[in-house]
Amino acid sequence: GESVGLHLPTLSVQEGDNSIINCAYSNSASDYFIWYKQESGKGPQFIIDIRSNMDKRQGQRVTVLLNKTVKHLSLQIAATQPGDSAVYFCAETGAGSYQLTFGKGTKLSVIP
Amino acid sequence: EAQVTQNPRYLITVTGKKLTVTCSQNMNHEYMSWYRQDPGLGLRQIYYSMNVEVTDKGDVPEGYKVSRKEKRNFPLILESPSPNQTSLYFCASSFDSNQPQHFGDGTRLSIL
């Protein structure tokens, strides 16, 4: 598969444990945030998003937390499974902006 | 099936030989975008298009051209490719810039 995970921060978790992946952003005008998952050889896949008028949003086994005060975003994955192994990217955009800015990514490895 | 289709998936070519990477989406999305992905740098936006005949530069537009003559297609053109354009390229689309983007599976370009 395509090698996109070189030199990335890596998080290793035991299967069944919860995972927390963090992302810091710098643009205080950003008001829309997205988490993507990228498996080897594939394009990024949408996981969950959150807008700046919220501080928490839950999906199936995933939760995104937004702390606008410190410009921090996190993705929590409950009961992590081997299929969750991938590179995870946060992305942000601001009101009136047509550009999406991605973080560098975190590689999640799930230990069976 | 809703999808973003890129062609070719892999290409090895030589410096200066013009090439085009095609991108097509079947979701009637207005917004389309091109990214390049390099190890340690994450995804960087090259160009984007808000609608037919409306395009604008992203963060790394140098050496690339795009066109948006039809809603479904957004080709990426390298008029005179150079080795520093060797990368993994992704096309993406969404209803607008503040909605989750759907990504293609990527095009691996090697410029010798």
Side-chain angles (χ1 to χ4, degrees):
Chain A
E2 313 297 357
S3 176
V4 299
L6 297 179
H7 312 301
L8 285 176
T10 300
L11 174 67
S12 296
V13 298
Q14 205 71 38
E15 182 179 357
D17 287 351
N18 297 335
S19 303
I20 300 176
I21 300 171
N22 296 305
C23 178
Y25 64 95
S26 57
N27 187 356
S28 55
S30 293
D31 65 353
Y32 179 55
F33 305 87
I34 315 146
W35 280 101
Y36 286 94
K37 172 186 180 183
Q38 187 175 26
E39 296 173 286
S40 181
K42 296 185 178 179
Q45 179 184 11
F46 168 76
I47 303 173
I48 192 168
D49 59 359
I50 189 168
R51 300 192 185 271
S52 60
N53 60 351
M54 303 174 69
D55 52 22
K56 180 180 179 178
R57 191 165 187 222
Q58 288 183 289
Q60 189 176 21
R61 278 202 310 118
V62 294
T63 301
V64 55
L65 298 177
L66 175 62
N67 185 331
K68 295 181 286 295
T69 302
V70 295
K71 297 199 279 286
H72 183 268
L73 192 68
S74 69
L75 176 71
Q76 300 178 0
I77 304 173
T80 313
Q81 303 168 359
D84 295 326
S85 293
V87 177
Y88 290 81
F89 294 96
C90 63
E92 59 180 291
T93 188
S97 171
Y98 293 98
Q99 288 192 249
L100 192 64
T101 301
F102 280 79
K104 299 287 190 288
T106 296
K107 185 175 182 180
L108 176 65
S109 294
V110 181
I111 305 163
Chain B
E1 179 189 353
Q3 59 187 6
V4 177
T5 304
Q6 297 178 224
N7 279 296
R9 292 292 315 279
Y10 303 92
L11 179 64
I12 301 172
T13 188
V14 296
T15 298
K17 186 177 181 181
K18 180 179 178 180
L19 68 91
T20 299
V21 185
T22 63
C23 175
S24 180
Q25 50 92 6
N26 63 359
M27 295 166 280
N28 201 35
H29 286 165
E30 292 192 347
Y31 183 86
M32 296 187 74
S33 185
W34 276 103
Y35 299 87
R36 61 178 288 174
Q37 186 172 35
D38 302 288
L41 297 177
L43 284 133
R44 294 179 292 166
Q45 194 170 36
I46 304 171
Y47 268 95
Y48 59 91
S49 170
M50 293 77 81
N51 212 328
V52 175
E53 301 291 5
V54 184
T55 65
D56 207 347
K57 296 176 181 179
D59 296 318
V60 288
E62 295 78 20
Y64 304 95
K65 285 175 56 178
V66 292
S67 69
R68 188 90 181 273
K69 292 182 169 45
E70 309 164 275
K71 199 172 192 178
R72 64 182 292 126
N73 296 321
F74 189 45
L76 179 70
I77 302 154
L78 285 72
E79 293 270 6
S80 183
S82 61
N84 65 10
Q85 292 178 297
T86 292
S87 187
L88 179 58
Y89 291 85
F90 288 100
C91 180
S93 73
S94 58
F95 285 109
D96 63 48
S97 60
N98 282 277
Q99 296 291 329
Q101 294 185 26
H102 295 251
F103 283 78
D105 282 334
T107 295
R108 170 69 72 182
L109 288 184
S110 295
I111 316 294
L112 304 178

